[in-house]
Amino acid sequence: SLVLGGGRLTYTGPTAAPDRLFSMSTNGGIDASGTGPLTFGAGTITHSGVTGRFLTLSGINQDANTIASTLTNSGTGGSITSVYKTGYGNWNLTGPSTASGLVRGRGGNVTLDYANADPWAGGALLQSGTIILKAKAGGTTETMSNLQIGEAHNGLGILKLTGNMSLTVASLDGNAATQRHNLIDLSNNGGSINVTAISTAFNAGNNGLLNNNTAVSVDNGRANVILRAADSTYGFAAFAPGSTSGLLQKLGNLTTLTPGGAVAIGTSTTNYYLGAGSYTTTGTANYSTLTLDSAAGAVNLTLPANATFSPGGTGKAILATGSNDVTISGGNTTSAITQPMWIHNYVDPSATFNISSNLGTGAYFIIGGTGYTNYSGLGLGQKTSPSDTQFVLNGGVFRMTTDQDLA
């Protein structure tokens, strides 16, 4: 039989279901890069040796590559088995596995399919790519010991629940990785996510807003987790106001501003909402979060001359969503940003998020999501002290329409 002892098996042929399994003596990998799916059937993946190890599933094939076999730990104690999913292909885990490590999403899709068995006994870690939990017919109730959102600073990690999946997370951890974007997708799912406890890498701020903390301050969090609800609308992930656990939901109790005139966006503890229409701020924009929702029509936000985006406290994030264009313009002509700024772009494929303000010259400018951004401002990644600023693209499509010095 095949023994994975540090190497990787690459498959490049047509649809195949080998009549033999494999064993592991240490770390190893399977690369599915064929013209059809690769399937390993029923049976148990055995081990020689008792050291902890990981199985890397990679490749470029986007069919339903599958391991229906039972994945087990190599021993007891720290002798656990984890799965690393890399590359932009797809892999499904469908067997009755007892491995208790982490499924680590590092690209493409990895699906834990509960149709016939519990495919994983451990936790999950989002770095990039998508981890999908697929319920069996009639629904699935599952408890996950640990969900870690963010292994590294940069990336867009997605956790998607499909069918009628109700997930309880015993411990939600963030690994102090704030310079990233995360999406929890419950669209078209009849279930929910219930969190029993959050680690010190998270806090629940204004109205229960979920913040991923920096490594240096438990109260200096960033709203870098977005929740897509069952009705497919987007919002900042939150608990019920005043709670630090319970059901994850979209942030509520937003302060809705009226379009058509000057508006004050001036409180760092306020979560503002702007619907269809045009708005001009009365001065510098200071906020916890800012939601620009174009579902009912285009949203245009203009800063007056010399004003800046200067979000304070926790949050420091903007969410753009909806089926129409969203536009940010105006502000200080040298630098329209004075504090680190997180932008989540989830406008529909038919829409564009237009930014003509100069957001790249004053502080960290971090953008991610799945939408299309058209940037005509200046200065990406520039400042007198380069260590004080970065431009980070964690997802979506970003178009620069002006010359940029990216040094």
Side-chain angles (χ1 to χ4, degrees):
S1 65
L2 172 65
V3 178
L4 295 179
R8 178 180 63 186
L9 173 68
T10 299
Y11 180 74
T12 59
T15 300
D19 59 0
R20 66 180 69 183
L21 299 180
F22 57 89
S23 63
M24 300 180 68
S25 63
T26 183
N27 303 328
I30 305 289
D31 183 304
S33 295
T35 57
L38 175 65
T39 300
F40 290 91
T44 300
I45 306 302
T46 59
H47 300 269
S48 58
V50 293
T51 57
R53 59 203 56 184
F54 56 84
L55 173 64
T56 299
L57 301 176
S58 59
I60 62 174
N61 181 275
Q62 296 186 341
D63 295 317
N65 301 288
T66 299
I67 293 184
S69 320
T70 299
L71 295 173
T72 63
N73 289 328
S74 56
T76 59
S79 303
I80 62 175
T81 300
S82 295
V83 167
Y84 287 14
K85 170 62 183 71
T86 65
Y88 60 84
N90 297 331
W91 276 97
N92 297 341
L93 303 182
T94 65
S97 295
T98 59
S100 58
L102 292 173
V103 172
R104 300 172 182 245
R106 290 179 168 177
N109 297 329
V110 57
T111 298
L112 306 183
D113 190 339
Y114 291 79
N116 299 306
D118 188 337
W120 195 250
L125 189 154
L126 295 176
Q127 180 178 351
S128 56
T130 303
I131 297 177
I132 301 169
L133 275 61
K134 182 179 180 181
K136 65 183 178 182
T140 297
T141 299
E142 174 68 5
T143 297
M144 183 173 286
S145 59
N146 179 262
L147 173 61
Q148 297 183 31
I149 298 181
E151 178 183 24
H153 267 314
N154 304 134
L156 169 63
I158 300 173
L159 176 68
K160 181 172 178 58
L161 275 57
T162 66
N164 188 4
M165 170 64 72
S166 294
L167 176 66
T168 296
V169 175
S171 176
L172 180 65
D173 193 2
N175 205 29
T178 60
Q179 294 178 33
R180 56 174 293 110
H181 290 73
N182 309 283
L183 173 66
I184 295 176
D185 188 351
L186 305 180
S187 58
N188 302 311
N189 179 66
S192 60
I193 294 183
N194 193 307
V195 176
T196 303
I198 56 176
S199 76
T200 55
F202 277 110
N203 73 71
N206 304 319
N207 292 325
L209 175 68
L210 187 64
N211 284 305
N212 196 180
N213 297 317
T214 67
V216 296
S217 172
V218 74
D219 295 319
N220 196 21
R222 305 291 181 262
N224 65 6
V225 183
I226 297 297
L227 186 137
R228 189 182 188 191
D231 62 0
S232 296
T233 59
Y234 293 88
F236 289 98
F239 298 113
S243 298
T244 58
S245 63
L247 289 175
L248 274 180
Q249 57 194 29
K250 292 194 308 180
L251 178 66
N253 297 327
L254 305 180
T255 297
T256 300
L257 301 180
T258 302
V263 294
I265 303 177
T267 307
S268 65
T269 58
T270 300
N271 301 300
Y272 294 95
Y273 174 89
L274 282 67
S278 296
Y279 306 78
T280 299
T281 67
T282 56
T284 288
N286 189 3
Y287 51 87
S288 172
T289 65
L290 193 60
T291 298
L292 310 176
D293 183 1
S294 68
V299 178
N300 299 283
L301 174 62
T302 302
L303 268 65
N306 298 319
T308 63
F309 287 94
S310 183
T314 60
K316 289 186 170 66
I318 291 176
L319 168 63
T321 182
S323 55
N324 295 280
D325 289 354
V326 174
T327 299
I328 289 177
S329 60
N332 190 295
T333 56
T334 301
S335 176
I337 176 175
T338 60
Q339 291 291 327
M341 188 170 177
W342 274 249
I343 291 181
H344 304 268
N345 182 359
Y346 288 99
V347 297
D348 289 357
S350 59
T352 300
F353 186 19
N354 298 293
I355 301 174
S356 60
S357 299
N358 296 327
L359 301 185
T361 57
Y364 286 89
F365 174 35
I366 303 172
I367 188 166
T370 58
Y372 174 70
T373 303
N374 187 63
Y375 183 76
S376 56
L378 299 175
L380 291 181
Q382 294 184 58
K383 198 180 180 184
T384 303
S385 174
S387 63
D388 289 340
T389 184
Q390 288 184 16
F391 166 64
V392 179
L393 178 60
N394 280 328
V397 177
F398 189 91
R399 178 174 184 260
M400 299 174 291
T401 59
T402 50
D403 290 339
Q404 305 287 340
D405 179 359
L406 301 180

